[in-house]
């Protein structure tokens, strides 16, 4: 009933898009090869016969029932927002939730920071298959995601996007669709392109250059193709005041007066000038023991160690109190809300350097038989600011600080900064700092990806028709360095923080009264570390470089991924019926995926059956090895049934070495009762096999914080939040995920309106046994509900825990336990109006109305929530995603205006908005006074001018992205207060360049 109701609402709203397709600038090739431009662009394998992505059938006039969008080279040049093709493809509404540099800065321990990995329907990057010329590529992360940066962009002729399951044609991963980058393999001449850009704020400088050349030889029987490219992006490592959107104090705060019986909302998002109060750049005292309870709470250290008083403003959560056992405020409104610098010292864009080369050689050894070999090598190095070295709950011993001589139990830096008078009777303080004296945590990943293919292809006469075949072998390898820099070593940081005045006669002979590490002047010689340098964490500009060098390190992990593939494909037309030719395609593939890695012992955590002991604040890497083999064979057919009706069916048998046999299939049909309209429908069974990381990871760690579901303002149930380190291990018993998909749509090309084409396609993907892990917050929530199974996954880290504020260690493992359901409707329209012999005006529009995106874990107490219509982050999907363009072009000039954006929506999908009479606020359904956030609409401009000379040509182009410098989509959070997945994070950008074509 819910599905039917939502569907009717979408049908009612579809008329709005019909108007938008004409009135708004629109975009994207209508998903049908018969549109005027789409039909002209693909380079046919043989005159009149085209191999279309999503099918293995090759024949004249075949229209696959699966929706297909073709993005031409002209589309890319006229409307790409940057010099990276991934940014262009990611603006398609079918692509939602992709991982890219802007939203991956906190991917500290999994190696995916800085990558461009596509995500279709927000089902996950691993559930869309990325192909290069119809063949797989080796992954660029431990998850197997293909980095679009490895595509030889200078040679891309078009991008074909299949928005529907295609496992029967290509095997695993093609659950939500396929993105196929097709190269111009018969290029003749030389192409040179160079461009450079900068933001309106004078930062984010970038450039790229490429060269590609092709030449036939031996009378056209042979052909050689070469290309090379280089690209650079300056890093933006701080969000300064010029980007005002991140400094408004738009932050969600819990009402400090709220209780479990309140009828007012638990969370408030309508206030401004809210900032973090859990730490400061030079350290904030959040609690003190001895003397007056928490008497020093609220003192913070500035430049040179100056002592200041934090103003907790008029509204704080938790409410300010000095009561024993209470928690200090973590958020405040007004007062000192801007002292914390977590919204400034964060990265906006990584420094990115990449280059690649590609080569292809082919030779027709006889009529209908061509041998070919190709190879590519790509290198990328990404350097990213992943935020400050935040530390909370730092225990500082101040016992005996008023005694003369001062005992080693008194922290020397605390006494220097606070003075004996303040410390009278105080036995300890708790400090929290964003550590302005320490360099930011940095990601410094490097990826080297190589791919080689050899094979043969050709055609021959069979059954009186032309048959096509190919056979190939392929090897891919990715060398991945997951490198972190400036990461705190937990033991060394604890040693350096515990500083003491050297007593007279100390065993190491330190000058009496000099400040040394406690471990070197206490009575225990067994814990000495002669390299230890005391670190002053109380102030800005007070830490010595030697101490910084001692406490920080650079953990890394090296991983090598390999892919071996051999396959063959055959397409024939064995006979015909009264309705037309019957076509058949058969083929098979054998593939092996491998991973192996290494991590120096000093960077590995100690993992036992009872818990994990981390050596570093993040980046506690473990190496892992594993492999699997898959063998596949498929059969596909197209059978015309007459009266404009055509059947397309396929079946694929797949055998995995680790998880057994599985069958995928597709049943589809098209019906064109008249030339003006064509209906299409597809029902398919598709799969995604577990990747190497899900199967074999020895342990991947991450660090963050979780909310205490049972927190009360009196502090009796612990602090408001806990820091934690998570460890996720692999599961070799995982099975392939199974998806059942429907696609139903129609294409309209009215003869009475030449140049106009439109389509609408409903999609439904029901994924069973989806592989996932329970989130850390979910584990804590379920444990707080009394579920012992989840409590068993939580232990305390003795190194970082302090009384009353434990630091948690949380373990999890992936299982086939989630059901996912995604539904929506794709709309596509294009209208080209000739304005003379050499000029035209073209409107294009594409939009997706998402209806449902559900994840049902089946966990007792959890509720499946539709995340469509929530704009809070990468995991949720806006109700509408749209993009369009209006292009005027002549023989030598082109101007394109592009509009793109997402609809307004909720902040969180499960939030209940109310101001009074609110229901009980729970972890499943929290209450908000305002749970709405804005949408987005950006305008881009592209201008190009072509100059011809002696049979050659040069095209000069200028691109302005985010023409009106619109803000990102703001969300009420500390740190980066924006949805980094769908927003333009840099503001207005300018890019200019030249393209030269030489014959």
């Amino acid at each position: 009933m819910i599905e039917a109701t939502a569907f009717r609402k979408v049908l009612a709203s579809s008329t709005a898009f019909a108007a938008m397709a004409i009135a708004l600038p629109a975009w994207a090739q209508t998903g049908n090869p018969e549109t005027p431009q789409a039909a002209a662009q693909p380079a046919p394998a043989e005159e009149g016969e085209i191999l279309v992505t999503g099918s293995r059938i090759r024949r004249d006039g075949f229209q696959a029932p699966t929706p297909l969008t073709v993005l031409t080279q002209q589309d890319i040049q006229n409307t790409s927002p940057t010099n990276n093709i991934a940014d262009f493809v990611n603006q398609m509404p079918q692509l939602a939730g992709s991982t890219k540099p802007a939203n991956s800065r906190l991917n500290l321990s999994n190696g995916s920071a800085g990558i461009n990995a596509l995500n279709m329907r927000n089902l996950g990057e691993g559930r869309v298959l990325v192909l290069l010329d119809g063949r797989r590529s080796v992954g660029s992360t431990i998850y197997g995601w293909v980095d679009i940066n490895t595509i030889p962009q200078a040679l891309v002729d078009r991008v074909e996007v299949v928005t529907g399951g295609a496992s029967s044609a290509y095997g695993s991963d093609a659950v939500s669709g396929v993105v196929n980058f097709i190269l111009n393999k018969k290029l003749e001449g030389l192409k040179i392109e160079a461009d450079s850009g900068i933001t309106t704020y004078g930062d984010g400088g970038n450039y790229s250059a490429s060269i590609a050349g092709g030449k036939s030889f031996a009378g056209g029987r042979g052909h050689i193709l070469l290309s090379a490219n280089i690209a650079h992006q300056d890093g933006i490592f701080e969000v300064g005041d010029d980007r005002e959107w991140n400094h408004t104090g738009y932050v969600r705060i819990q009402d400090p007066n709220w209780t479990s019986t309140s009828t007012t909302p638990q969370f408030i998002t309508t206030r401004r000038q809210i900032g973090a109060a859990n730490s400061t750049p030079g350290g904030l005292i959040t609690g003190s023991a001895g003397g007056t309870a928490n008497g020093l709470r609220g003192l913070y250290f500035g430049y040179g160690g100056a002592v200041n008083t934090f103003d907790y403003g008029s509204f704080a959560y938790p409410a300010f109190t000095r009561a024993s056992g209470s928690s200090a405020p973590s958020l405040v409104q007004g007062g000192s809300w801007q002292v914390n610098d977590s919204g400034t010292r964060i990265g906006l864009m990584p420094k990115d350097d990449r280059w690649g080369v590609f080569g292809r050689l082919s030779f027709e050894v006889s009529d209908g038989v061509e041998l070919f070999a190709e190879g590519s090598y790509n290198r990328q190095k990404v350097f990213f600011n992943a935020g400050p070295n935040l530390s909370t709950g730092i225990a500082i011993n101040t016992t005996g600080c008023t005694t003369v001589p001062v005992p080693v139990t008194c922290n020397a830096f605390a006494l220097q900064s606070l003075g004996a008078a303040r410390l009278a009777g105080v036995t300890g303080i708790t400090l929290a700092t964003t550590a302005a004296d320490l360099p930011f945590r940095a990601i410094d990943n490097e990826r080297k990806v190589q791919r080689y293919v050899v094979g043969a292809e050709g055609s021959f006469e069979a059954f009186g028709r032309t048959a096509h075949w190919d056979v190939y072998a392929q090897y891919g390898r990715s060398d991945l360095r997951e490198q972190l820099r400036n990461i705190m070593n937990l033991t060394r940081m604890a040693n350096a923080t515990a500083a003491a005045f050297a007593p007279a006669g100390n065993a190491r002979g330190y000058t009496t009264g000099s400040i040394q590490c406690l471990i070197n002047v206490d009575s225990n010689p067994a814990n000495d570390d002669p390299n230890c340098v005391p670190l002053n964490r109380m102030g800005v500009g007070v830490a010595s470089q030697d101490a910084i060098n001692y406490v920080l390190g650079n953990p890394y992990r090296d991983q090598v991924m390999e892919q071996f593939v051999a396959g063959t494909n055959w397409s024939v037309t064995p006979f015909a019926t009264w309705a037309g030719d019957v076509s058949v395609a058969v083929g098979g593939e054998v593939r092996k995926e491998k991973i192996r890695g290494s991590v120096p012992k000093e960077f590995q955590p100690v993992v036992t059956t009872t818990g994990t002991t981390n050596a570093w604040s993040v980046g506690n890497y473990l190496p892992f090895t594993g492999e699997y083999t898959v063998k596949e064979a498929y059969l596909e057919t197209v059978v015309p049934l007459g009266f404009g009706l055509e059947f397309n069916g396929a079946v694929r048998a797949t055998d995995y070495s680790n998880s057994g046999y599985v069958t995928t299939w597709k049943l589809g049909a098209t019906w064109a009762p008249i030339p003006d309209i064509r209906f299409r429908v597809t029902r398919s069974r598709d799969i995604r096999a577990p990747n190497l990381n899900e199967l074999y990871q020895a342990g991947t760690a991450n660090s963050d914080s979780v909310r205490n579901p049972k927190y009360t303002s009196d502090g009796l149930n612990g602090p408001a939040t806990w820091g934690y380190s998570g460890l996720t291990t692999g599961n070799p018993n995982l099975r392939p995920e199974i998806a059942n998909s429907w696609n139903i749509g129609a294409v309209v090309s009215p003869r009475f309106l030449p140049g106009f084409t439109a389509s609408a396609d409903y999609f439904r993907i029901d994924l069973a046994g989806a592989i996932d892990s329970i989130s850390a917050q979910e584990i804590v929530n379920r444990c707080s509900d009394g579920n012992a199974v989840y409590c068993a996954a939580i232990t305390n880290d003795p190194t970082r825990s302090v009384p009353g504020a434990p630091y948690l260690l949380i373990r999890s493992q992936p299982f086939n336990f989630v059901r996912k359901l995604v539904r929506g409707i794709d709309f596509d329209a294009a209208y080209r109006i000739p304005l003379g012999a050499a000029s035209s005006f073209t409107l294009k529009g594409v939009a997706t109305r998402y209806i449902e995106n559900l994840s049902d874990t089946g966990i007792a107490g959890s509720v499946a929530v539709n995340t469509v219509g929530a704009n809070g982050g990468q995991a949720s999907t806006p109700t509408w995603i749209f993009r369009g363009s209006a292009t005027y072009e002549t023989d030598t000039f082109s101007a394109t205006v592009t509009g793109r954006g997402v609809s307004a929506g909720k902040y969180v999908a499960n939030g209940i908005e109310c101001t009074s009479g609110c229901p009980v606020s729970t972890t499943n359904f929290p209450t908000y006074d305002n749970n709405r956030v804005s949408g987005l609409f950006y305008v881009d401009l592209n201008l190009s001018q072509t100059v011809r000379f002696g049979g050659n040509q040069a095209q000069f182009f200028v691109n302005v992205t985010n023409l009106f410098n619109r803000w990102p989509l703001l969300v009420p959070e500390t740190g980066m207060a924006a949805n980094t997945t769908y927003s333009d994070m840099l503001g207005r950008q300018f890019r200019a360049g030249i393209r030269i074509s030489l014959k």
Side-chain angles (χ1 to χ4, degrees):
M1 181 61 68
I2 293 174
E3 180 172 312
T5 302
F7 187 66
R8 286 195 295 270
K9 289 181 179 179
V10 173
L11 289 179
S13 64
S14 65
T15 55
F17 174 77
M20 185 190 75
I22 303 299
L24 270 182
W27 170 75
Q29 199 57 263
T30 298
N32 322 292
E34 72 268 24
T35 59
Q37 279 191 285
Q41 288 299 323
E46 182 176 308
E47 187 65 33
E49 297 191 339
I50 300 174
L51 180 62
V52 177
T53 301
S55 173
R56 298 291 189 173
I57 297 293
R58 183 179 303 200
R59 69 182 239 182
D60 182 21
F62 171 51
Q63 304 290 347
T66 307
L68 173 71
T69 299
V70 180
L71 311 175
T72 68
Q73 187 180 79
Q74 185 179 15
D75 292 326
I76 298 169
Q77 293 179 351
N78 284 351
T79 64
S80 181
T82 70
N83 53 28
N84 193 320
I85 196 172
D87 294 326
F88 170 70
V89 177
N90 264 320
Q91 288 187 357
M92 294 182 60
Q94 298 95 329
L95 277 294
S98 297
T99 294
K100 47 191 176 182
N103 64 8
S104 60
R105 69 180 181 88
L106 294 180
N107 296 356
L108 288 164
S109 301
N110 61 24
S112 63
I115 199 173
N116 269 301
L118 303 180
N119 186 349
M120 191 175 290
R121 311 298 193 197
N122 219 337
L123 264 178
E125 292 84 349
R127 298 184 180 101
V128 57
L129 181 60
V130 176
L131 302 175
L132 179 60
D133 280 328
R135 300 187 182 97
R136 290 177 179 264
S137 289
V138 64
S140 297
T141 72
I142 55 177
Y143 304 120
W145 302 345
V146 174
D147 189 358
I148 307 305
N149 294 322
T150 62
I151 302 295
Q153 185 169 323
L155 292 173
V156 173
D157 181 66
R158 65 191 187 276
V159 182
E160 294 186 351
V161 181
V162 173
T163 52
S167 291
S168 59
Y170 298 109
S172 176
D173 305 338
V175 172
S176 59
V178 177
V179 181
N180 189 9
F181 293 84
I182 299 174
L183 307 184
N184 180 357
K185 296 185 288 294
K186 297 298 181 181
L187 173 68
E188 292 288 342
L190 189 66
K191 291 169 49 180
I192 303 171
E193 182 171 346
D195 64 77
S196 182
I198 198 169
T199 76
T200 195
Y201 303 104
D203 55 15
N206 62 86
Y207 63 81
S208 72
S210 65
I211 183 170
K215 177 68 175 176
S216 297
F217 60 92
R221 296 175 63 188
H223 189 269
I224 187 171
L225 182 66
L226 299 170
S227 79
N229 65 278
I230 186 172
H232 168 81
Q233 165 82 52
D234 285 347
I236 302 177
F237 299 141
E238 288 194 353
V239 184
D241 292 338
D242 50 358
R243 289 181 170 90
E244 299 175 10
W245 52 265
N246 209 44
H247 304 285
T248 66
Y250 176 42
V251 176
R252 181 192 78 167
I253 187 170
Q254 180 168 326
D255 183 351
N257 300 314
W258 179 90
T259 67
S260 59
T261 60
S262 295
T263 58
T264 54
Q266 179 180 4
F267 297 107
I268 298 171
T269 64
T270 52
R271 294 175 179 254
R272 295 297 182 269
Q273 295 189 349
I274 295 174
N278 63 339
S279 57
T280 62
L284 170 70
I285 297 178
T286 57
S288 61
T292 302
N294 292 313
L296 300 184
R297 174 175 287 170
L299 297 182
Y300 72 94
F301 304 96
Y303 284 93
V307 180
N308 307 289
T309 300
F310 195 95
D311 182 353
Y312 286 101
S314 58
F315 192 82
Y317 173 78
F320 179 79
T321 176
R322 297 189 189 277
S324 178
S326 63
S327 293
S330 58
L331 293 170
V332 297
Q333 181 183 32
S336 300
W337 72 280
Q338 291 179 299
V339 172
N340 182 284
D341 58 351
S342 60
T344 300
R345 292 170 53 219
I346 51 178
L348 196 61
M349 184 62 64
K351 178 184 177 183
D352 187 349
D353 287 287
R354 63 183 189 274
W355 60 267
V357 293
F358 176 90
R360 189 178 196 274
L361 179 65
S362 61
F363 194 84
E364 188 177 352
V365 294
S366 64
D367 291 342
V369 179
E370 182 178 87
L371 304 181
F372 66 89
E374 63 184 52
S376 62
Y377 182 89
N378 292 271
R379 177 186 177 273
Q380 181 188 31
K381 194 167 179 61
V382 176
F383 187 80
F384 216 158
N385 175 3
N389 272 291
L390 170 68
S391 295
T392 59
I394 305 167
I396 306 292
N397 192 347
T398 59
T399 301
C401 283
T402 57
T403 303
V404 179
V406 179
V408 294
T409 56
C410 170
N411 186 283
F413 293 127
L415 180 57
Q416 275 190 345
S417 300
L418 292 169
R422 285 195 183 96
L423 293 174
V426 177
T427 58
I429 62 174
T430 302
L431 193 71
T433 179
T434 58
D437 279 4
L438 302 184
F440 57 74
R441 301 178 303 172
I443 297 168
D444 194 12
N445 291 340
E446 184 178 32
R447 304 180 185 92
K448 300 175 183 178
V449 181
Q450 48 192 313
R451 179 178 181 267
Y452 307 97
V453 185
V454 295
E457 59 187 1
S459 59
F460 59 95
E461 290 295 317
F463 309 106
R465 300 285 194 278
T466 301
H468 300 271
W469 62 274
D470 70 82
V471 59
Y472 67 95
Q474 176 179 312
Y475 172 73
R477 171 175 169 143
S478 293
D479 291 81
L480 311 176
R481 165 63 67 92
E482 301 170 38
Q483 175 79 67
L484 299 179
R485 300 198 182 277
N486 308 322
I487 305 303
M488 293 185 293
N489 180 284
L490 299 178
T491 299
R492 294 203 295 262
M493 178 59 81
N495 291 343
T497 300
F501 293 108
N506 63 84
R508 286 191 168 272
Y510 294 121
T511 302
T512 301
S514 63
I515 298 179
Q516 305 295 334
C517 295
L518 172 63
I519 58 172
N520 290 331
V521 295
D522 63 6
S523 59
N524 180 13
N527 65 3
D528 287 8
D529 179 359
N531 296 315
C532 183
V533 181
L535 175 68
N536 188 353
R537 305 178 77 177
M538 283 163 270
V540 178
V542 297
S544 73
Q545 188 60 52
D546 287 344
I548 293 171
N549 294 341
Y550 172 72
V551 300
L552 299 183
N554 306 310
Y556 69 87
R557 172 170 64 181
D558 287 325
Q559 299 278 168
V560 177
M561 298 178 62
E562 292 179 290
Q563 182 185 76
F564 304 82
V565 187
T568 184
N569 303 285
W570 300 73
S571 178
V572 299
T573 304
F575 62 91
T577 68
W578 67 272
D581 290 339
V582 174
S583 296
V584 175
V586 296
E589 183 180 278
V590 177
R591 176 165 50 94
K592 175 181 281 190
E593 304 274 358
K594 298 177 62 176
I595 190 169
R596 65 181 188 274
S598 63
V599 179
K601 195 72 174 178
E602 63 179 301
F603 300 134
Q604 297 185 29
V606 177
V607 181
T608 67
T609 56
T610 58
T612 304
T613 302
N614 290 326
W616 303 85
S617 59
V618 293
N620 295 281
Y621 294 118
L622 286 170
F624 62 94
T625 61
E627 66 178 61
Y628 67 83
T629 303
V630 56
K631 302 174 183 178
E632 303 180 278
Y634 72 87
L635 168 70
E636 182 179 4
T637 185
V638 172
V639 181
L641 303 177
F643 308 105
L645 184 63
E646 193 168 62
F647 168 78
N648 178 213
V651 63
R652 190 179 193 94
T654 304
D655 186 27
Y656 287 94
S657 60
N658 58 325
S659 57
Y661 175 84
V662 65
T663 300
T664 56
W665 47 264
K666 176 184 71 174
L667 300 173
T670 61
W671 180 43
I674 58 174
D676 307 68
I677 187 168
R678 179 168 60 91
F679 299 96
R680 55 192 179 193
V681 60
T682 305
R683 170 73 169 87
S684 65
R685 169 72 59 87
D686 304 288
I687 63 165
R688 183 186 80 90
N691 60 49
L692 292 166
N693 183 69
E694 292 165 334
L695 290 167
Y696 303 117
Q697 62 174 314
T700 298
N702 71 293
S703 298
D704 207 332
S705 63
V706 288
R707 191 171 63 87
N708 179 358
K710 292 189 177 298
Y711 173 77
T712 54
S713 58
D714 57 15
L716 296 179
N717 294 320
T721 61
W722 291 301
Y724 82 91
S725 179
L727 183 75
T728 302
T729 57
N731 182 355
N733 298 316
L734 292 172
R735 308 179 311 276
E737 305 170 341
I738 297 178
N740 291 293
S741 302
W742 280 95
N743 283 275
I744 304 171
V747 184
V748 179
S749 304
R751 285 169 288 180
F752 63 82
L753 189 60
F756 177 79
T757 305
S759 67
D761 290 277
Y762 168 78
F763 62 88
R764 185 183 192 275
I765 304 171
D766 189 348
L767 184 66
I771 299 167
D772 206 345
S773 301
I774 305 295
S775 71
Q777 185 66 66
E778 186 71 17
I779 291 173
V780 169
N781 291 346
R782 300 285 76 84
C783 177
S784 73
D785 293 337
N787 193 319
V789 174
Y790 295 96
C791 293
I794 304 173
T795 56
N796 290 348
D797 185 347
T799 305
R800 286 187 276 186
S801 294
V802 297
Y807 191 91
L808 307 182
L809 298 172
I810 303 176
R811 298 185 65 172
S812 64
Q813 187 179 39
F815 293 96
N816 294 92
F817 72 100
V818 179
R819 181 197 170 196
K820 292 179 177 288
L821 177 64
V822 176
R823 298 190 302 122
I825 301 179
D826 293 324
F827 299 95
D828 205 334
Y831 186 33
R832 184 176 184 273
I833 307 170
L835 299 178
S839 63
S840 64
F841 181 70
T842 304
L843 289 171
K844 297 181 182 180
V846 64
T848 297
R849 173 37 163 112
Y850 287 92
I851 302 172
E852 217 169 14
N853 192 321
L854 288 169
S855 290
D856 185 359
T857 63
I859 298 172
S862 66
V863 178
V865 176
N866 184 11
T867 60
V868 168
N871 292 355
Q874 185 177 5
S876 54
T877 311
T879 302
W880 284 94
I881 304 179
F882 55 87
R883 189 180 191 276
S885 66
T887 300
Y888 170 76
E889 57 185 338
T890 69
D891 190 35
T892 58
F893 174 78
S894 173
T896 300
V897 177
T898 301
R900 53 189 170 88
V902 303
S903 58
K906 299 178 180 180
Y907 167 48
V908 293
N910 61 338
I912 297 175
E913 186 173 312
C914 58
T915 55
S916 61
C918 298
V920 175
S921 185
T922 66
T923 55
N924 284 329
F925 296 103
T927 53
Y928 287 78
D929 69 332
N930 184 354
N931 190 34
R932 288 162 287 154
V933 294
S934 69
L936 291 171
F937 184 75
Y938 295 120
V939 176
D940 305 333
L941 175 65
N942 188 289
L943 303 173
S944 64
Q945 178 67 53
T946 300
V947 178
R948 294 186 174 89
F949 55 97
N952 305 309
Q953 70 176 36
Q955 184 183 78
F956 302 89
F957 63 91
V958 175
N959 174 264
V960 184
T961 302
N962 191 1
L963 182 65
F964 301 111
N965 199 29
R966 294 290 303 274
W967 283 11
L969 194 165
L970 300 187
V971 293
E973 298 173 0
T974 57
M976 193 75 75
N979 184 320
T980 56
T981 298
Y982 301 104
S983 298
D984 185 330
M985 301 300 296
L986 302 186
R988 184 188 298 116
Q989 300 177 68
F990 303 93
R991 183 167 63 99
I994 185 173
R995 303 181 184 101
I996 300 174
S997 297
L998 304 175
K999 299 297 183 182

